[in-house]
Amino acid sequence: MTTGTSNLRSDPVDTGANAPSSTSPRIGRPPDRWRYLWLGAGAVLSLFAVNGRWDIPLAAWLFAILLLRFSRTSRAAVGVGLVWLASVGAAMFFLWHVAVPLTGMTLLGGLAFGTVLTLPYLVDRLLAPRLGMVASLLLFPMALAACEFVLGVFGPFGTAYGLLADTQYTNPALLQVISLTGPYSIGFIIGALATVVNHVWERPLSWRTVRVPVVYAAVLGVVIVGGSARLALFPVATAQTVRIAGINPSTAALDAEMKALGQPGFDPMAIPRFDPATVPAESKAVIDGLFDNTRQAARAGAKIVLWSENAARISVSDEPAFLAAAQAVARAEQVYLDVSVNVYLPTAPYGRDETHFIGPDGTLIWTYEKSHPIPGLETYTPGDGKVPVVSTPYGRIANVICYDADFPAMMHTDADIMLVPGGDWPEFGRLHTQMSSLRAIENGYSLVRQDFNGWSAAYNHHGQPISTQDTTVDHAPWIVDVPTHGTTTLYQLTGDIFAWLCLAGTLALTGIAVIRRRSATRR
């Protein structure tokens, strides 16, 4: 309960359907003497809900409750301003503890993350008091989902940060809802809990107050029970599988290659700037090792072989010979071979990050270029964003590269198996691979992510791990049997309709609240 003297103002009575009810929040709520405690607790909890190594799933459900309480019971400028500081601090904490290289672009990205994710608190603080009870309960969660959507679709960093669904990786029953609505619905559900709890917190206990959390609990129960039913009643068919092998280059060979190029050791982000005609003999050793491991995997029964991102580094002049060698291996071993290469160029941008998918007859099926180079870290020219798909005896196979999988809209692909070569670092690799599992649930395909210096994993279309490999310590070929048939999801068919509705709803309620405020001022 709140304490202190109320500074409620008298507004003209509005008897319309959306008029503020007698129990809806009003402008100038009484200050809460504990509000700085709520701010501190919310800020601390937010550090453990940032898609990081130390995430606590429950923290994602609690921090918004406390930050919303603080912003509602403080002066608008102070309340929202300090919430902004907490949000920016959480973003910078994420960059630090997952060891993202700090550049001007990544620091600007952290500032942008914190700013955009503060907007829901701003609209709630300024506009919710002008709305009816239902509208005021929906404004914050809709704005939160809309902001996640804007970051994920229109921002250069995708959903690498700010997507609350990523924090719920250990709750597969909850996450099944994203096969219907997309990943932004989890942010809506968590945001709705914040407004529901604050609704009860601000009012005397009564049936009129309690009915709101009862309705919320019923909706959340339907989501979780429905997800549990999907997992139990519609299991992933495993009668038909295909053996897929993941291949990483030898770290010793890579170190030797980089030292020959004048670098102290292998750096997955490095794009050496040198004359491509002088690629050293050490590069051939790396490629020969990759081909040897490919043959080894094929003789262990693999029908599809996937290399990690930038596994081979070649000059543009050597590319035709390299492709001819890869085609010969695929043909000799009768496998589908997805080779990942960094092609050195003599001028800026100095490299191409691409994959070549080769059939068992040696045919080059596609060449795909990474569509989303990491801002501030990779200077590759981006590809066209079209995800290649081909029908095979093992289902429809598709392919993106690493960071591309952080953009849910791009991943709407009619496929049975999605191949994702990745290249990470120890502090971020496992998290990045776990994030990609959401794409499997959303689109109904199995996803295989072969990650260098991170965490390789295969997921079925329920997002459940089939097999994993810690590639920071294990560089041997990794083999996994993957279902060859996916499923069609509503989200795959309809796209981000739920997120667009949240964005439209936020704008509509903002307009209503602004009009009412102006009308009240004129009166």
Side-chain angles (χ1 to χ4, degrees):
M1 303 299 296
T2 59
T3 60
T5 304
S6 171
N7 58 347
L8 300 180
R9 56 177 289 179
S10 297
D11 290 330
V13 176
D14 185 346
T15 59
N18 290 318
S21 70
S22 60
T23 59
S24 61
R26 309 293 289 176
I27 294 174
R29 294 178 181 83
D32 184 339
R33 64 179 178 178
W34 298 104
R35 62 187 182 278
Y36 285 101
L37 175 61
W38 311 140
L39 171 67
V44 170
L45 286 172
S46 71
L47 302 180
F48 300 95
V50 291
N51 313 342
R53 287 181 291 162
W54 305 324
D55 273 0
I56 301 172
L58 183 60
W61 293 83
L62 298 179
F63 82 91
I65 297 173
L66 301 174
L67 294 182
L68 195 64
R69 175 65 175 175
F70 173 76
S71 68
R72 285 186 172 189
T73 56
S74 302
R75 292 182 180 275
V78 173
V80 177
L82 291 179
V83 168
W84 175 80
L85 284 177
S87 297
V88 171
M92 296 304 178
F93 178 78
F94 163 80
L95 296 175
W96 168 73
H97 87 90
V98 299
V100 173
L102 296 181
T103 66
M105 179 61 75
T106 56
L107 290 174
L108 182 62
L111 183 64
F113 293 149
T115 300
V116 172
L117 295 174
T118 302
L119 295 179
Y121 298 91
L122 177 65
V123 297
D124 176 87
R125 178 62 181 82
L126 297 181
L127 304 178
R130 296 288 176 182
L131 300 170
M133 182 181 72
V134 174
S136 66
L137 287 167
L138 292 176
L139 179 60
F140 179 80
M142 286 198 304
L144 182 57
C147 287
E148 289 187 348
F149 174 59
V150 168
L151 287 175
V153 174
F154 303 105
F157 295 94
T159 58
Y161 179 82
L163 186 65
L164 288 173
D166 287 331
T167 68
Q168 304 303 301
Y169 172 76
T170 57
N171 192 344
L174 172 68
L175 288 179
Q176 298 310 303
V177 72
I178 70 177
S179 67
L180 303 176
T181 58
Y184 311 106
S185 59
I186 301 299
F188 178 90
I189 292 170
I190 291 175
L193 177 66
T195 56
V196 166
V197 171
N198 275 276
H199 175 86
V200 175
W201 202 338
E202 293 164 353
R203 291 162 177 79
L205 190 62
S206 69
W207 164 243
R208 289 176 59 86
T209 303
V210 171
R211 63 182 177 176
V212 172
V214 168
V215 171
Y216 176 83
V219 173
L220 181 61
V222 168
V223 169
I224 294 177
V225 171
S228 300
R230 183 174 192 248
L231 294 172
L233 302 179
F234 301 95
V236 176
T238 57
Q240 292 181 313
T241 61
V242 60
R243 181 157 291 184
I244 299 178
I247 304 295
N248 275 329
S250 161
T251 55
L254 284 173
D255 284 340
E257 179 187 27
M258 290 297 103
K259 288 176 182 177
L261 296 175
Q263 296 190 21
F266 176 69
D267 179 356
M269 298 297 178
I271 304 175
R273 301 182 182 185
F274 65 99
D275 182 357
T278 64
V279 174
E282 284 81 1
S283 296
K284 183 178 184 301
V286 174
I287 294 171
D288 288 346
L290 289 165
F291 284 145
D292 287 343
N293 283 338
T294 298
R295 296 184 185 96
Q296 177 185 340
R299 291 161 192 175
K303 299 302 181 183
I304 301 172
V305 179
L306 169 66
W307 292 6
S308 58
E309 182 182 16
N310 289 333
R313 298 183 173 225
I314 58 176
S315 69
V316 66
S317 59
D318 289 337
E319 189 171 21
F322 167 79
L323 284 177
Q327 289 171 294
V329 171
R331 187 167 45 246
E333 302 300 333
Q334 289 293 287
V335 295
Y336 286 93
L337 178 57
D338 197 28
V339 296
S340 301
V341 294
N342 182 344
V343 181
Y344 296 140
L345 304 176
T347 58
Y350 301 105
R352 293 199 307 262
D353 188 351
E354 60 189 25
T355 62
H356 303 280
F357 194 61
I358 302 166
D361 60 356
T363 301
L364 179 61
I365 298 173
W366 70 61
T367 293
Y368 171 79
E369 288 191 56
K370 189 174 188 176
S371 299
H372 295 93
I374 301 174
L377 299 179
E378 296 177 334
T379 59
Y380 306 115
T381 300
D384 60 13
K386 296 179 180 178
V387 179
V389 184
V390 65
S391 294
T392 75
Y394 314 112
R396 298 180 306 279
I397 310 297
N399 174 207
V400 299
I401 299 175
C402 197
Y403 197 52
D404 291 336
D406 290 355
F407 293 81
M410 179 182 173
M411 301 294 283
H412 294 325
T413 302
D414 185 16
D416 295 297
I417 299 174
M418 176 65 72
L419 303 178
V420 186
D424 283 309
W425 55 95
E427 295 86 354
F428 191 52
R430 182 168 187 164
L431 305 170
H432 207 190
T433 296
Q434 288 174 349
M435 292 178 196
S436 68
S437 69
L438 271 64
R439 308 293 89 82
I441 304 173
E442 294 159 10
N443 297 287
Y445 44 60
S446 296
L447 185 145
V448 182
R449 191 173 194 272
Q450 177 61 25
D451 191 25
F452 178 80
N453 203 25
W455 188 265
S456 295
Y459 298 96
N460 62 28
H461 66 251
H462 285 166
Q464 298 165 317
I466 304 170
S467 175
T468 63
Q469 180 190 38
D470 183 354
T471 57
T472 63
V473 296
D474 184 1
H475 303 286
W478 167 63
I479 295 179
V480 56
D481 293 324
V482 177
T484 57
H485 295 292
T487 189
T488 300
T489 66
L490 182 63
Y491 181 60
Q492 183 193 71
L493 297 175
T494 61
D496 290 308
I497 286 181
F498 177 84
W500 280 111
L501 289 174
C502 285
L503 181 58
T506 301
L507 296 176
L509 291 181
T510 298
I512 292 171
V514 169
I515 291 171
R516 285 183 170 168
R517 185 167 188 172
R518 289 179 177 175
S519 298
T521 301
R522 285 198 298 270
R523 291 179 186 138

